[in-house]
Amino acid sequence: QSVVTQPPSASGTPGQRVTISCSGSSSNIGSNTVNWYQQLPGTAPKLLIYSNNQRPSGVPDRFSGSKSGTSASLAISGLQSEDEADYYCAAWDDSLNGFVFGTGTKVTVL
Amino acid sequence: EVQLVESGGGLVQPGRSLRLSCTASGFSFREFAMGWVRQAPGKGLEWIGFIRNKPYGGTTEYAASLKGRFAISRDDSKSIAYLQMNSLKTEDTGVYYCTRDPLVYDTAMKDYYYYMDVWGKGTTVAVSS
């Protein structure tokens, strides 16, 4: 059972803005940076956001990340059909001395 | 092109061992930590562990639940990272991903942090009698 929780699902129509939350504790999100990953059906995860709000080259600026206290958020603006995927947050946990992944959120484009 | 290719997966009986390999190309392997993540069928991602590169001691960290059964090593001369899995259980079934783990300085937090930036396509391990 993960110590970092996400809502199991989120949805929106094309063009809408969708936000996914990631809730942790002082030992993980509260004291380390948060990264976000997108996993399209049947494929390996792909890095979307690192260091809370940094986008790797090639990731559209429709994706943005933020962190406050022991929670983080991923926002997808201008939702597109190809954004339908599972999204995971991850952070180092100082108590566990390892990475923890969030429980994952399935985004559906209606 | 930066690429990670996992190999060595397959069907194995409970209690047996298996060694997975991750062959890297397109970047300077010795400059990065390397990690492993797995995903059970229909489930979320689970971090297994990682190995730092030699300037940072080449040391390893593991998920507490797997420590003692799983071991990560690396051969910088061949650009390969390994995951040795012993005493396998049915619950170890899943897809195993290799990751490249760069160390980045965060100016806001004023500290260094690892993250997983490149992932392989994964190799499937099935533990069953």
Side-chain angles (χ1 to χ4, degrees):
Chain A
Q1 188 165 350
S2 180
V3 298
V4 176
T5 57
Q6 301 176 231
S9 63
S11 62
T13 56
Q16 273 191 327
R17 176 183 168 94
V18 167
T19 301
I20 302 167
S21 62
C22 171
S23 180
S25 67
S26 58
S27 64
N28 43 65
I29 294 175
S31 52
N32 295 288
T33 56
V34 177
N35 312 302
W36 288 91
Y37 300 90
Q38 176 193 58
Q39 188 174 31
L40 297 169
T43 69
K46 168 193 165 187
L47 176 67
L48 270 186
I49 298 286
Y50 68 98
S51 292
N52 303 325
N53 54 20
Q54 300 299 301
R55 272 188 314 276
S57 61
V59 173
D61 59 8
R62 303 186 292 105
F63 295 93
S64 61
S66 63
K67 189 186 95 164
S68 178
T70 59
S71 294
S73 293
L74 174 72
I76 311 173
S77 58
L79 192 66
Q80 298 182 4
S81 58
E82 57 258 41
D83 298 333
E84 198 159 274
D86 293 323
Y87 293 82
Y88 295 90
C89 60
W92 185 265
D93 190 296
D94 293 332
S95 297
L96 300 175
N97 207 33
F99 276 106
V100 287
F101 282 97
T103 47
T105 298
K106 183 175 183 61
V107 168
T108 302
V109 181
L110 301 170
Chain B
E1 179 195 3
V2 173
Q3 200 172 9
L4 300 174
V5 178
E6 302 91 338
S7 59
L11 176 62
V12 60
Q13 292 179 325
R16 304 296 289 265
S17 297
L18 199 63
R19 187 178 80 161
L20 305 183
S21 299
C22 168
T23 303
S25 60
F27 65 97
S28 180
F29 183 79
R30 62 185 69 243
E31 292 183 9
F32 291 86
M34 298 297 295
W36 290 90
V37 174
R38 70 180 181 180
Q39 186 169 36
K43 302 296 184 183
L45 301 173
E46 179 184 15
W47 183 75
I48 295 172
F50 80 137
I51 183 166
R52 297 177 179 83
N53 57 336
K54 286 199 171 35
Y56 291 88
T59 52
T60 51
E61 305 291 350
Y62 300 98
S65 60
L66 300 174
K67 211 170 187 178
R69 284 199 305 128
F70 286 20
I72 298 172
S73 59
R74 62 189 295 158
D75 185 336
D76 288 352
S77 68
K78 295 180 180 176
S79 297
I80 299 178
Y82 299 100
L83 175 64
Q84 177 68 43
M85 304 186 291
N86 300 324
S87 303
L88 282 162
K89 307 175 182 179
T90 55
E91 52 264 40
D92 294 321
T93 293
V95 178
Y96 285 70
Y97 298 103
C98 173
T99 65
R100 185 180 78 167
D101 301 351
L103 186 61
V104 65
Y105 182 77
D106 186 274
T107 53
M109 304 280 281
K110 293 184 173 53
D111 204 347
Y112 289 88
Y113 299 93
Y114 286 102
Y115 66 104
M116 295 155 267
D117 72 337
V118 177
W119 296 61
K121 287 185 165 58
T123 187
T124 299
V125 173
V127 183
S128 174
S129 54

